[in-house]
């Protein structure tokens, strides 16, 4: 996988997803039962196998036409519980068996493919906190994954705290502050990796505060920052 650092600007989310999945599965296949049972600090209720069960279940439920938000707590809990009796190799086998139909749906639904890619990249780095594993494909896909969350954050900040936020990802692109009647303006400058880990709740508040803010981000961090849940303790 050393030559997998494809240009994120030229790679579709579906193609990037396939590369990251292959890299992760290769690493997972070396784990024994103890490794599969290791807990992940960024997903404190989940073991390594549970994280993979969620990734697999997300694919399976999308292909099965399950309705509702497949990333909601109720759905992710179900995805893990449905595979509780399986071993990690069995979960990996199921995930691999879905590769071809997943490729088809991602080609047809690029916006959904981007969401699935972002989720996968976030969890690859969650697992890398406890396992020595390659992350070259995930790192290459990080700018593409991070950009999914920028407009979501800008809209949330504008609506909740009345701030027009400009975001510059130093290894990606710049999103100007959205037009509107916001009372204040602010900018954020960060790497794609730092932004992605931060906005998905993987960093502490102090770590997020240390990103490149143009002013005091307290209002944003208090009310509108995290896409998922509270700051990491």
């Amino acid at each position: 996988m050393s030559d997998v650092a494809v240009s994120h600007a030229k790679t579709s989310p579906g193609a990037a997803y396939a590369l990251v999945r292959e890299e992760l599965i290769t690493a997972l296949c070396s784990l024994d039962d103890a490794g599969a049972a290791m807990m992940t600090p960024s997903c404190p209720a989940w073991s390594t196998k549970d994280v993979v069960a969620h990734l697999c279940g997300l694919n399976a439920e999308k292909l099965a036409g399950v309705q509702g938000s497949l990333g909601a707590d109720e759905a992710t809990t179900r995805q893990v519980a449905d595979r509780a009796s399986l071993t990690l190799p069995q979960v990996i086998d199921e995930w691999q068996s879905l590769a071809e139909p997943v490729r088809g749906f991602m080609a047809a639904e690029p916006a959904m493919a981007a969401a699935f890619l972002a989720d996968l990249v976030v969890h690859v780095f969650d697992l890398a906190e406890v396992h020595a594993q390659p992350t070259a494909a995930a790192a290459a896909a990080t700018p593409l994954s991070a950009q999914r969350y920028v407009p979501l954050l800008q809209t949330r900040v504008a609506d909740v705290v009345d701030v027009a936020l400009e975001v510059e990802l130093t290894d990606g692109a710049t999103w100007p502050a959205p037009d509107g009647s916001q009372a204040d303006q602010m900018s954020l400058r960060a790497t794609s990796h730092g932004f992605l880990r931060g906005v998905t709740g993987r960093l502490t508040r102090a770590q997020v505060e240390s990103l490149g803010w143009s002013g005091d981000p307290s209002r944003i961090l208090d009310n509108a920052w995290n896409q998922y849940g509270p700051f990491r303790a």
Side-chain angles (χ1 to χ4, degrees):
M1 281 294 183
S2 60
D3 60 350
V4 82
V6 291
S7 169
H8 60 270
K10 298 179 180 179
T11 303
S12 71
Y17 185 96
L19 289 170
V20 178
R21 179 185 58 212
E22 178 187 348
E23 179 182 67
L24 177 58
I25 286 176
T26 298
L28 291 170
C29 286
S30 68
L31 296 181
D32 57 15
D33 289 346
M38 287 183 68
M39 303 305 289
T40 54
S42 290
C43 303
W46 284 356
S47 68
T48 295
K49 191 202 84 172
D50 292 337
V51 173
V52 184
H54 156 63
L55 293 168
C56 173
L58 194 64
N59 285 191
E61 292 193 347
K62 169 63 180 176
L63 294 170
V66 175
Q67 299 301 304
S69 172
L70 299 183
D73 288 346
E74 178 184 358
T76 59
T77 299
R78 178 181 65 243
Q79 291 151 13
V80 172
D82 285 351
R83 291 158 183 83
S85 64
L86 301 181
T87 64
L88 177 59
Q90 288 172 325
V91 176
I92 290 172
D93 286 346
E94 180 189 358
W95 195 16
Q96 288 181 306
S97 76
L98 303 174
E100 186 59 26
V102 164
R103 185 193 66 79
F105 108 70
M106 287 189 171
E109 301 182 46
M112 184 65 74
F116 275 50
L117 172 63
D119 183 69
L120 174 58
V121 167
V122 167
H123 287 308
V124 164
F125 285 106
D126 291 344
L127 293 172
E129 292 181 340
V130 291
H131 300 289
Q133 64 180 65
T135 57
T142 294
L144 186 59
S145 301
Q147 71 182 33
R148 173 179 180 263
Y149 290 100
V150 174
L152 296 173
L153 175 65
Q154 289 178 311
T155 298
R156 196 162 60 245
V157 168
D159 291 346
V160 176
V161 295
D162 200 27
V163 172
L165 180 66
E166 177 183 274
V167 178
E168 178 188 354
L169 300 183
T170 57
D171 51 349
T174 298
W175 287 257
D179 294 332
S181 58
Q182 284 73 36
D184 297 310
Q185 290 196 346
M186 188 175 292
S187 64
L188 168 63
R189 189 172 186 268
T191 65
S192 294
H193 182 78
F195 175 81
L196 184 63
R197 297 301 285 171
V199 82
T200 58
R202 270 65 182 179
L203 301 183
T204 66
R205 183 184 177 106
Q207 288 172 321
V208 174
E209 287 175 339
S210 71
L211 299 177
W213 298 94
S214 63
D216 182 359
S218 295
R219 277 196 296 153
I220 293 173
L221 303 191
D222 288 343
N223 302 286
W225 171 253
N226 282 332
Q227 183 76 22
Y228 309 117
F231 282 101
R232 186 168 177 171

